[in-house]
Amino acid sequence: MQLKIASKGLKGEFSVPGDKSISHRSVMLASLATGETQIEGFLAGEDCLATIEMFRELGVVIEIVDQKVKVISDGHRKFSRPAQPIDVGNSGTTMRLGLGILASLPYETTITGDSSLVKRPMERVMGPLREMGATVSGANGTEYAPINTVGTSDLKGIDYTMPVASAQVKSAILLAGLFAQGETVVREQVKSRNHTEEMLKQFGVDVKNAGTSITIKGQQPLKTPGGLNIPGDISSAAFFMVAAVIIPNSCVKITNVGLNETRTGIIDVLKAMGAKITVEVTDSIGQIGTVTVSSSDLHGITISGEIIPRLIDELPIIALLATQATGQTVIADAEELKHKETNRIDVTASELRKLGADIQTTSDGLIIKGKTELTARKVSSHGDHRIGMTLAIAALLVQVGEVELEQADAVAVSYPNFFKDLENIMIGGL
Ligand SMILES: O=C(O)C1=C[C@@H](OP(=O)(O)O)[C@@H](O)[C@H](O)C1
Ligand SMILES: C=C(OP(=O)(O)O)C(=O)O
């Protein structure tokens, strides 16, 4: 895809599509419950559509009408064994949370994915599920998909201390724990996104939080709340927040943004770097708001420690942000980036470097020196949606020539209308 550049600024008010993490969980929990659940604001991106397909293959009726998703389920006990391996494409969330559910089904299933997903680590989920009593194995004795699971209706609760900060691992264990005998406790060393535990509560499940540990009692029924409304994804909004800050003559207002505090690290980083950003809460519980951002002078900062899980998916676009800040930005404690759709430490650095960024990799992050002018080159998303969107925003800064973005269609994983929404707010168009 050729990207015309030298943006004259971004202006407009709009909203981004539904939160990806919440969309996955809405279909999963609605499928586990008995009855009908209407979901509004569902993200119709490839990853969340893979979750819908997975539960259809387990026998759940799921309809998409007028951008609303209707899940009609007879409950977890009535799931049927899929005839084929379940293919969840590029979606790590579907595979890891899905494994937690498959572990509780008393039959054999196989789950697999695309060429990126079959290289992502699964032992982090398989290990605790084995401890709970499921038989789980990867391809040819490895930890990689296709993953074969022989589940059991006789899972046992565990007390598990998380070796990595991962909401996917935490959620897989909690979902298995929901069907296990006794209590399951998950202890986090650093708090990760809490959508699973919060949404389980919406489905009437008794889940207790104490500091960074979560306790779920096993064998509880889920009760559908009837309807769910999903806010816009702050991880998608992040691309436009950064774009508006780094492109001169910009002011962008994004409405209906999810503001769950386990996800708002990007707002904290923008503020700490000196960005002009305001957040207006628009619901009664502080979970949704309007974020307004405009062109700003920025300075480098260090981003490390407990904030990392609160902005893990935003680190590629934060790296671009840092190229436009004066001084040095250090990103540390982010080795988890190596296990995403690509090795995002290496790929962020190599692609931004092609455009002229001064960016070095470290064992657990990146060091970026700014402010740098970016130049036109051919770059690639490497099939990673967040890298693709980061590079598309980077292209807006290039003053002369054209940027060619290879594998631009990867954006459809989390944001199918990304280029259309970008074009709509660009003064003079894309
Ligand atoms: O639970 C989730 O919905 C997600 C958790 C994060 O992954 P990890 O749990 O591997 O950190 C994140 O990167 C991913 O995009 C979505
Ligand atoms: C890492 C991501 O997703 P997943 O792990 O679900 O593939 C992401 O969306 O950036």
Side-chain angles (χ1 to χ4, degrees):
M1 177 177 199
Q2 294 296 130
L3 293 165
K4 215 175 84 208
I5 29 158
S7 165
K8 297 184 190 72
L10 305 177
K11 288 265 187 302
E13 177 175 334
F14 67 111
S15 54
V16 292
D19 187 278
K20 178 162 81 74
S21 293
I22 300 176
S23 294
H24 283 301
R25 287 157 174 83
S26 67
V27 166
M28 291 180 183
L29 299 189
S31 297
L32 295 172
T34 306
E36 194 176 308
T37 310
Q38 292 263 9
I39 305 165
E40 284 192 49
F42 183 85
L43 168 64
E46 287 170 4
D47 271 17
C48 298
L49 294 174
T51 291
I52 288 186
E53 268 323 301
M54 169 169 178
F55 285 87
R56 281 181 175 153
E57 283 169 45
L58 288 164
V60 180
V61 175
I62 307 178
E63 294 163 6
I64 309 180
V65 184
D66 291 340
Q67 299 182 2
K68 278 188 210 147
V69 175
K70 198 199 301 182
V71 180
I72 305 157
S73 180
D74 291 330
H76 166 258
R77 291 234 172 92
K78 296 283 169 61
F79 283 3
S80 48
R81 186 182 165 200
Q84 317 267 344
I86 301 165
D87 185 344
V88 299
N90 193 244
S91 179
T93 310
T94 314
M95 183 168 285
R96 296 206 179 106
L97 273 63
L99 280 167
I101 293 168
L102 296 178
S104 72
L105 301 176
Y107 37 80
E108 187 176 342
T109 53
T110 302
I111 190 163
T112 192
D114 70 6
S115 59
S116 155
L117 189 52
V118 299
K119 293 192 203 93
R120 293 177 65 185
M122 294 297 148
E123 182 56 31
R124 48 182 60 199
V125 178
M126 289 158 54
L129 294 178
R130 263 187 226 117
E131 270 184 56
M132 295 177 84
T135 304
V136 200
S137 53
N140 307 316
T142 68
E143 64 166 315
Y144 302 110
I147 310 282
N148 188 270
T149 305
V150 184
T152 168
S153 41
D154 203 25
L155 288 174
K156 310 267 181 303
I158 50 167
D159 187 325
Y160 191 74
T161 300
M162 300 266 299
V164 283
S166 165
Q168 294 177 0
V169 176
K170 169 176 67 177
S171 302
I173 299 169
L174 290 175
L175 289 170
L178 183 60
F179 300 105
Q181 289 166 33
E183 250 179 26
T184 291
V185 184
V186 180
R187 298 176 198 274
E188 294 191 280
Q189 301 185 40
V190 181
K191 192 169 173 167
S192 63
R193 67 189 67 193
N194 62 5
H195 302 299
T196 301
E197 43 279 43
E198 291 308 307
M199 292 179 71
L200 279 167
K201 290 176 195 166
Q202 279 183 282
F203 279 78
V205 175
D206 179 12
V207 188
K208 293 210 165 50
N209 301 77
T212 52
S213 73
I214 305 115
T215 304
I216 187 166
K217 238 190 309 142
Q219 301 185 329
Q220 297 185 61
L222 290 105
K223 289 183 220 73
T224 172
L228 288 171
N229 214 325
I230 301 175
D233 196 327
I234 190 166
S235 297
S236 299
F239 294 100
F240 299 108
M241 293 185 206
V242 169
V245 165
I246 60 180
I247 295 163
N249 190 35
S250 298
C251 182
V252 164
K253 198 173 193 174
I254 313 168
T255 55
N256 193 39
V257 181
L259 295 177
N260 174 307
E261 50 119 19
T262 61
R263 300 284 301 282
T264 48
I266 178 68
I267 293 175
D268 297 349
V269 160
L270 282 165
K271 285 182 178 164
M273 291 177 80
K276 293 180 195 146
I277 173 166
T278 59
V279 179
E280 183 204 341
V281 172
T282 53
D283 69 345
S284 55
I285 49 169
Q287 294 293 295
I288 301 174
T290 298
V291 180
T292 307
V293 200
S294 47
S295 317
S296 315
D297 290 329
L298 304 165
H299 55 83
I301 59 167
T302 293
I303 304 165
S304 62
E306 298 207 338
I307 197 171
I308 294 294
R310 296 180 55 235
L311 45 65
I312 188 74
D313 292 342
E314 286 64 83
L315 286 168
I317 190 69
I318 287 172
L320 172 66
L321 175 73
T323 69
Q324 301 308 303
T326 307
Q328 177 169 286
T329 295
V330 178
I331 298 170
D333 302 324
E335 51 278 74
E336 272 301 300
L337 283 183
K338 295 179 181 167
H339 306 301
K340 302 298 179 186
E341 284 79 333
T342 56
N343 176 334
R344 287 183 180 160
I345 293 183
D346 287 351
V347 175
T348 300
S350 63
E351 294 307 304
L352 288 179
R353 216 179 277 137
K354 284 183 193 164
L355 297 174
D358 181 344
I359 177 166
Q360 301 303 321
T361 61
T362 64
S363 60
D364 65 352
L366 295 162
I367 300 174
I368 306 117
K369 293 200 181 99
K371 175 177 179 171
T372 33
E373 231 171 73
L374 302 186
T375 46
R377 289 286 180 280
K378 193 200 295 189
V379 286
S380 171
S381 75
H382 293 257
D384 183 332
H385 53 131
R386 302 212 191 268
I387 301 290
M389 290 186 275
T390 296
L391 294 169
I393 300 299
L396 303 176
L397 288 166
V398 175
Q399 294 302 311
V400 184
E402 278 188 351
V403 171
E404 185 178 342
L405 174 59
E406 291 181 323
Q407 293 185 256
D409 54 358
V411 305
V413 160
S414 64
Y415 200 156
N417 286 330
F418 171 77
F419 289 105
K420 228 204 265 154
D421 286 356
L422 178 59
E423 182 160 21
N424 281 341
I425 56 167
M426 279 185 64
I427 299 170
L430 192 61

